[in-house]
Amino acid sequence: MSHSGIPVKLSARGLNFFYGRHQALFDVNLDFPEYRITALIGPSGCGKSTFLRCLNRMNDLIPGARAQGEILLNGENINDRRTDVVSLRRRVGMVFQKPNPFPKSVFENVAYGLRVNGMTKKAEISDKVEESLRRAAIFEEIKDRLHKSALSLSGGQQQRLCIARALAVDPQVLLMDEPASALDPIATQKIEESMHELKARLTIIIVTHNMQQAARVSDGTAFFYMGKLVESGETEGIFTRPRLKQTEDYITGRFG
Amino acid sequence: MNTKETRLQQELERLRAKLLIMCASVDVALDNASAALYGGNPERVETVLRGDAAINTLEMEIDDMALSILARNQPVAHDLRFVVAALRMVLDLERIGDEAVSVAERALMLHARLPAAGMRIVNELMDAARALYARSVEVFRAGDAEKAMDLRRNEDEGSKKEMLALQRMVDYLRGRDGREPDWTPDAGLHALLACRALNRIRRRSVNIAEQTFFIARGENIKHIRSGTDGGKAPPLCYALGEGIPKA
Ligand SMILES: Nc1ncnc2c1ncn2[C@@H]1O[C@H](COP(=O)(O)OP(=O)(O)O)[C@@H](O)[C@H]1O
Ligand SMILES: [Mg+2]
């Protein structure tokens, strides 16, 4: 249980992270309560993306990179050697800053993960594709274009398609790395609205550079600086009465 | 971590300067109202009445500045608390200005018709209200949460003194000291109305200290009880000797 009384879905325990000899994270301890949205904020290069990628071992792909410490998903350490990384990434999905749909149809983008996971029945797949597109709040807009190329969609639509793609395999946690930073305010708002609905069934962790976005969408906020977790807590508290001056300087834009 | 001065900070600085100007304008109004009471000087009354328009204008200007800062900068943390407190404080300051007018409007008539014994009590309450107001502004200027809390705590003592003075006023008006009442009914009524205005100035001054605490600490102490009366001057009716009147 977290201090707020909500079960902890995911947590980092004594996490250190190295790119070769460069240490990017220092003894990070942080809990992510279930069905809540947690925002990770901090200046560029402070380690937000690195930390986010630790949460589904996306950093494994980087040569020379290594993590120390524990990441507990439902209480189990995913840094354990025996962890099935493919199944881990199905449970902990990810959406990136730049929408990266496959150069295939809208439908195939979402269906792909389902097929990889062994779903074969056409009707089942098509139901799941529709459901995922609906959850990502994009179905109505593109239902007539399901078999057109995903690359013909607008940036905001592509990003929501990527969210639908991540949702299709029913992840328990969704990691979002600045998902709206390349989008206009309307597309951004659509994504923020859908996040609000998604958290009924998902634990969401979002990296954002936009303080207002963090304040709008998240329940909890964690502030990183130079690879260290400086302050974390309820978003409302962080933005109305942060405990530390560093946090205050950053969120009020006095930093730098 | 290095810090820099942002455009928002400059705007907040301007807002703060404007608030302090309003504080000073209200102080001038109280000063003139007080001089009018002591000296029966019609020019001083005139000055208070004219000054009130300027205070109202300041209220609207500060309101606009605060709204614009909120809309354009979405301030957070201390900045947000400061803007929110500014919006609350202008209400208190504007009201204190109104109460100064209320006192000034009665000053000449009281000066002419209320005998010295009654006048002494009004003046005493006036001095206490001005002193409390001046302290609340000082606490705000310094942004000192400790002193803000002290002011509120000490108000228990202050309101006891006020209550005693009001009781003396009521006794005096009732002629309880054995003499025939030597005031006219309209003088008695205006004396009480002036007392009420001064009581409200104290209450509003405590609000200003509470806002200072809120800015510094992010906590609202308005309804936290300290001592007997939550640091608030009790309503005037308590002084009528009967305690809270029955419905
Ligand atoms: N693939 C990489 N190889 C080496 N160093 C990296 C790599 N990715 C990030 N870093 C370094 O790690 C630190 C944290 O980066 P990152 O996690 O991207 O920060 P943020 O997302 O907060 O901007 C930075 O100093 C960055 O240069
Ligand atoms: Mg990043």
Side-chain angles (χ1 to χ4, degrees):
Chain A
M1 296 286 257
S2 69
H3 57 86
S4 49
I6 298 163
V8 171
K9 183 70 189 175
L10 187 64
S11 60
R13 290 271 174 275
L15 184 71
N16 292 298
F17 189 87
F18 305 83
Y19 292 106
R21 279 160 57 195
H22 172 69
Q23 185 165 1
L25 294 174
F26 298 81
D27 191 30
V28 176
N29 292 283
L30 186 59
D31 286 344
F32 298 98
E34 188 165 33
Y35 304 132
R36 312 257 325 232
I37 299 177
T38 304
L40 309 180
I41 62 171
S44 284
C46 71
K48 304 177 297 293
S49 297
T50 300
F51 180 62
L52 199 69
R53 287 194 304 259
C54 284
L55 300 176
N56 69 349
R57 290 191 41 186
M58 214 57 133
N59 290 320
D60 285 13
L61 311 174
I62 300 168
R66 107 195 119 84
Q68 273 174 4
E70 295 185 329
I71 303 287
L72 305 174
L73 174 64
N74 305 315
E76 276 178 49
N77 183 13
I78 66 161
N79 282 345
D80 194 291
R81 205 162 299 162
R82 286 161 304 182
T83 302
D84 172 359
V85 177
V86 173
S87 132
L88 169 67
R89 295 202 187 122
R90 191 173 66 232
R91 284 175 291 157
V92 183
M94 191 155 188
V95 174
F96 300 88
Q97 174 174 7
K98 282 208 4 227
N100 57 347
F102 310 130
K104 291 178 179 244
S105 73
V106 169
F107 187 92
E108 278 309 314
N109 262 274
V110 186
Y112 176 79
L114 298 171
R115 293 211 178 90
V116 167
N117 281 298
M119 199 182 270
T120 47
K121 292 206 184 93
K122 264 198 156 165
E124 227 177 305
I125 290 177
S126 125
D127 282 355
K128 195 73 192 172
V129 167
E130 176 173 339
E131 183 204 307
S132 306
L133 290 169
R134 281 193 192 283
R135 287 179 75 194
I138 190 180
F139 183 75
E140 288 302 328
E141 259 170 71
I142 56 163
K143 61 184 174 196
D144 302 327
R145 281 185 277 168
L146 292 182
H147 299 287
K148 297 255 162 65
S149 165
L151 301 179
S152 70
L153 303 180
S154 72
Q157 289 169 333
Q158 287 187 13
Q159 190 62 305
R160 277 176 290 147
L161 176 63
C162 292
I163 293 174
R165 186 175 66 188
L167 294 175
V169 295
D170 283 325
Q172 300 166 9
V173 178
L174 187 61
L175 309 176
M176 306 176 101
D177 196 347
E178 301 182 42
S181 62
L183 306 182
D184 68 59
I186 293 173
T188 300
Q189 196 193 7
K190 283 184 177 155
I191 287 186
E192 290 180 5
E193 293 289 329
S194 66
M195 287 174 69
H196 195 70
E197 314 223 318
L198 289 174
K199 76 171 181 175
R201 284 162 61 184
L202 265 177
T203 302
I204 299 178
I205 302 161
I206 178 175
V207 168
T208 177
H209 268 133
N210 180 329
M211 292 305 103
Q212 274 80 44
Q213 181 170 63
R216 277 194 304 267
V217 303
S218 69
D219 304 296
T221 296
F223 169 56
F224 284 78
Y225 183 58
M226 290 179 42
K228 294 184 179 130
L229 173 64
V230 174
E231 181 168 351
S232 67
E234 300 282 315
T235 296
E236 194 246 321
I238 295 280
F239 284 95
T240 56
R241 38 177 190 279
R243 288 188 301 276
L244 300 178
K245 184 171 181 303
Q246 278 186 332
T247 315
E248 172 115 17
D249 285 344
Y250 181 69
I251 64 175
T252 58
R254 282 165 171 76
F255 165 83
Chain B
M1 203 149 79
N2 297 322
T3 58
K4 61 171 190 270
E5 179 165 85
T6 59
R7 198 171 47 83
L8 169 59
Q9 264 179 295
Q10 291 164 7
E11 287 187 32
L12 290 170
E13 208 33 64
R14 284 215 302 278
L15 178 65
R16 183 182 144 78
K18 203 67 157 199
L19 263 175
L20 286 170
I21 290 172
M22 187 165 175
C23 289
S25 308
V26 170
D27 195 39
V28 169
L30 290 175
D31 189 46
N32 283 314
S34 167
L37 269 181
Y38 273 102
N41 182 340
E43 281 92 76
R44 292 294 194 124
V45 176
E46 189 55 31
T47 312
V48 178
L49 300 186
R50 263 189 286 109
D52 196 48
I55 291 174
N56 293 345
T57 306
L58 279 167
E59 182 196 10
M60 290 195 294
E61 286 174 0
I62 291 170
D63 225 66
D64 283 347
M65 282 172 90
L67 278 181
S68 146
I69 290 174
L70 286 175
R72 292 193 295 118
N73 300 284
Q74 288 107 47
V76 293
H78 185 280
D79 300 345
L80 174 61
R81 304 200 300 269
F82 183 79
V83 177
V84 168
L87 284 168
R88 295 176 183 154
M89 274 178 57
V90 285
L91 298 177
D92 290 318
L93 289 167
E94 192 270 336
R95 281 303 171 78
I96 294 174
D98 284 350
E99 304 300 354
V101 169
S102 170
V103 173
E105 280 171 345
R106 304 170 208 291
L108 300 185
M109 148 355 136
L110 286 173
H111 191 77
R113 306 251 186 98
L114 192 70
M119 226 29 224
R120 263 198 302 280
I121 302 172
V122 178
N123 281 324
E124 186 184 314
L125 288 168
M126 178 88 222
D127 292 345
R130 282 180 65 197
L132 186 64
Y133 171 76
R135 262 200 294 138
S136 77
V137 171
E138 204 32 60
V139 160
F140 166 69
R141 188 198 309 276
D144 190 328
E146 293 298 323
K147 290 219 173 84
M149 191 54 120
D150 283 350
L151 183 148
R152 196 171 176 285
R153 269 199 219 103
N154 294 339
E155 243 315 84
D156 273 356
E157 215 28 61
S159 36
K160 255 180 234 150
K161 279 198 193 133
E162 180 188 41
M163 180 106 73
L164 291 175
L166 285 169
Q167 258 154 16
R168 271 190 286 126
M169 174 65 87
V170 171
D171 287 347
Y172 164 73
L173 293 175
R174 282 176 171 157
R176 279 203 185 146
D177 40 10
R179 67 185 158 74
E180 282 298 296
D182 53 0
W183 45 273
T184 58
D186 53 344
L189 176 69
H190 285 293
L192 281 179
L193 289 173
C195 290
R196 186 173 69 169
L198 294 168
N199 172 266
R200 287 179 173 171
I201 291 172
R202 300 175 65 87
R203 296 165 73 85
R204 298 273 176 182
S205 300
V206 174
N207 289 355
I208 291 173
E210 288 166 353
Q211 292 315 315
T212 301
F213 192 91
F214 174 75
I215 294 169
R217 301 278 175 83
E219 260 174 79
N220 197 328
I221 54 168
K222 250 179 129 77
H223 303 292
I224 298 169
R225 308 225 110 216
S226 90
T228 48
D229 243 299
K232 285 272 170 127
L236 190 57
C237 61
Y238 284 21
L240 294 175
E242 264 72 59
I244 302 170
K246 297 189 180 66

